[in-house]
Amino acid sequence: SNLRSRGASLCDMCILVVDVMHGLEPQTVESLRLLRARRCPFIVALNKIDRLYGWKPQQDVGVETSLACQESHTMHELERRWKQIQLQI
């Protein structure tokens, strides 16, 4: 808590990393509260998307190419989970 508070007070911008499989966890909610209180802009980065059911790993390609290679059911699951995270935020 103290470490997150100090970090939030020092940053000009934050990257908030969220596990796509678990959504917002208590420490993420605490970080959001601190960032909002300090009016610090933030970007949400989804982590562990390769753990989605049916994910096909792609070697040495960019994110857009990797996403384009996924099956539609995997992409729907990613979109569903992203929307849930957006609602939690």
Side-chain angles (χ1 to χ4, degrees), residues 1 5 8 11 13 23 25 27-28 33 36 38 40 42 48 51 53 60 69-71 74-75 80 83 87-88:
S1 176
S5 179
C11 65
M13 183 174 207
E25 295 185 1
Q27 63 269 25
T28 312
R33 184 183 55 76
R36 286 180 175 147
R38 289 172 174 77
C40 180
F42 62 90
K48 301 181 184 176
R51 296 203 177 163
Y53 178 75
D60 303 320
C69 293
Q70 304 308 314
E71 301 275 340
T74 304
M75 290 304 297
R80 185 185 70 78
K83 287 179 183 176
L87 288 173
Q88 288 177 311

Side-chain angles (χ1 to χ4, degrees), residues 38-54:
R38 289 172 174 77
R39 297 182 183 263
C40 180
F42 62 90
I43 296 171
V44 176
L46 297 181
N47 193 19
K48 301 181 184 176
I49 62 172
D50 59 325
R51 296 203 177 163
L52 290 168
Y53 178 75

Side-chain angles (χ1 to χ4, degrees), residues 20-21 49-57 67-82:
V20 75
M21 301 304 284
I49 62 172
D50 59 325
R51 296 203 177 163
L52 290 168
Y53 178 75
W55 185 266
K56 295 179 182 175
L67 289 171
C69 293
Q70 304 308 314
E71 301 275 340
S72 63
H73 66 86
T74 304
M75 290 304 297
H76 285 122
E77 182 66 11
L78 175 60
E79 291 168 10
R80 185 185 70 78
R81 288 179 183 266
W82 170 229

Side-chain angles (χ1 to χ4, degrees), residues 1-2 4-5 16-19 21-36 88-89:
S1 176
N2 190 27
R4 278 187 276 278
S5 179
L16 192 68
V17 180
V18 178
D19 183 333
M21 301 304 284
H22 295 122
L24 297 188
E25 295 185 1
Q27 63 269 25
T28 312
V29 173
E30 178 187 3
S31 296
L32 271 171
R33 184 183 55 76
L34 292 167
L35 292 170
R36 286 180 175 147
Q88 288 177 311
I89 292 173

